[in-house]
Amino acid sequence: MLKFIEQPRYSCAIGAQQTVVAIKRGVPILHAGPGCSSKVSSLIGQGEGYAGGNTIPCTNAGEAEVVYGGEGRLRNVVDGAFKVIDADLYVILTGCTSDIVGDDVGRVTGEYQAQGRPIVYAETGGFKSNNYVSHESVVNAIIDQYVDVHNKGGNIQKGLVNVFATVPYQDPYWNGNLEEIKRILEGIGLKVNILFGNGSGGVEEWKTIPDAEFNILINTWTGLGIVKHLQEKYRTPYVHFPYLPIGGIETTRFLKQVAGFGKLDSKKVEAFIQKEEEKYYSFIERTADFMLEFRYGIPRRFYTILDAAYSIGFSKFLLNELGIIPAKQYVIDDTPEEFREEIKKLFAGISDLRSAEVAFSIDGGAIQQEIREEPQKNRAIILGSGWERDLASDIKADLLIISAPVTYRLVLNCGYAGYNGGLRTIEDIYDRVLNTYR
């Protein structure tokens, strides 16, 4: 019996084009059929950036390339990209067509690398994986084919760290999240390679990846392949925080874990945390009158329909800092089987007194049907995607759009990580609640 999966929330492997777009002056070059890039952009694109959207060079491989091979066409497109796009790094990404035909993209790329061109390649045929996995493949390809050419390692800088967090663009709030993560890590005394977005120094920053004292991974499973690769390649240790730290409690926990791992100056760390917490909780105190007055009209339960790092992070924040009780939580990032048991443990311990039930599903239609069938005794809030707008309306729930596709929301540099992200979450949730009063 055929089973249809409704409402995609991530893309195939070629969605890693957005990983490249997120690098300052980085340009993806697609060796793929027509339409692949535009479908990715429409799902998780959020604007064109320096060389995204309709700017992305593509071979638009067709019948001729299937029959005769597409290496010649790829060379023409690469030559054209060099002429018309002034970039610091070019990344060739393969699609299903070229991977099935067997074009030797590595050899073509090697010809340009021999000329000293800043170009790498990665195999991202859509049938191979999704963009969570191919994000790791592309980052590792850049490290192996570009970074390693310029820096073989062995020059460790005290206090320098590389940060790997959520997947750019797949996380609609990646830029704001990275800026807040960089801010708080610098606050405890670290020098931070953020690698993507406005807070990054571009490819010059990437070249210093081997010089890091240690790496920081802020994600449940995506990115483990990167930090383990760097550990093997450059013997760089890593600290793993398995979800996005949101609000006062978890951000402080995150900073203390990093500080302990890096043996940082405890007085400086504690002073920064104390200053941030005082500011954070001073704003929380201002909500006391609001919470008391509207205590019967605010959400009492929440659902998350998000990837694992966000789902765990928001579940901890909503329960432990806002007192909203978890309903069933849905993880929609196609989590590999080997990581699921650990995620279940994290949900089982989201507070000292409560746990949350978690389900792993990539079928948005099935998730929404299950929620519709549940008795809705109390007002609920859904943290999901634009796909959940009708669901929220049908069950009279509030909706905060966190996951792709965002559809009904413009995202510039908003972020939900850290102390500032916790305050933004509170504002956004109760802004939606108050908007329902007439």
Side-chain angles (χ1 to χ4, degrees), residues 188 256 259-260 263-273:
I188 63 173
K256 287 184 176 181
K263 297 180 174 60
L264 304 185
D265 183 337
S266 60
K267 290 184 178 180
K268 182 172 184 177
V269 173
E270 289 299 330
F272 177 78
I273 289 175

Side-chain angles (χ1 to χ4, degrees), residues 9-10 18-19 22 43-46 131-132 135 165-178 181 218-219 244 306-307 309-310 314 401-406 411-412 414-417:
R9 292 150 196 276
Y10 53 83
Q18 298 304 121
T19 294
L43 180 66
I44 60 173
Q46 304 165 44
N131 59 315
Y132 288 101
H135 166 73
T166 53
V167 179
Y169 290 96
Q170 177 61 44
D171 169 14
Y173 306 95
W174 64 277
N175 204 39
N177 286 338
L178 290 180
I181 290 166
I218 309 169
N219 208 313
L244 195 70
L306 305 169
D307 65 22
Y310 257 126
F314 273 113
I401 296 176
I402 302 295
S403 175
V406 291
V411 181
L412 297 178
C414 168
Y416 290 111

